[in-house]
Amino acid sequence: MELTLPDADPQQRRDLARSQWFQYELYRGGALVYSSGHLRLRETRRNDAGELVVSGSP
């Protein structure tokens, strides 16, 4: 799984870089449509647009 997030919050980037696990939820129109299980953090990096990219796997 790879998430691309706006990198507007330096604290969020530091917290994710120190994490071992993460979980995410997807919403559509305010309703929860998917909740992931725990994913082991594999990588955090910035893409060419400066966005934060977080990779993880079960």
Side-chain angles (χ1 to χ4, degrees):
M1 174 60 178
E2 186 172 285
L3 297 173
T4 302
L5 309 166
D7 195 17
D9 183 354
Q11 185 61 46
Q12 178 187 43
R13 182 175 62 247
R14 285 190 295 272
D15 289 345
L16 283 168
R18 289 185 214 134
S19 298
Q20 293 181 355
W21 298 91
F22 70 95
Q23 190 172 359
Y24 69 95
E25 296 175 338
L26 294 176
Y27 291 86
R28 183 175 186 180
L32 178 66
V33 293
Y34 180 77
S35 180
S36 77
H38 287 273
L39 301 169
R40 181 175 295 277
L41 183 68
R42 298 294 178 197
E43 175 186 24
T44 58
R45 62 180 168 81
R46 286 186 193 217
N47 64 14
D48 294 337
E51 300 163 322
L52 183 62
V53 179
V54 180
S55 302
S57 60

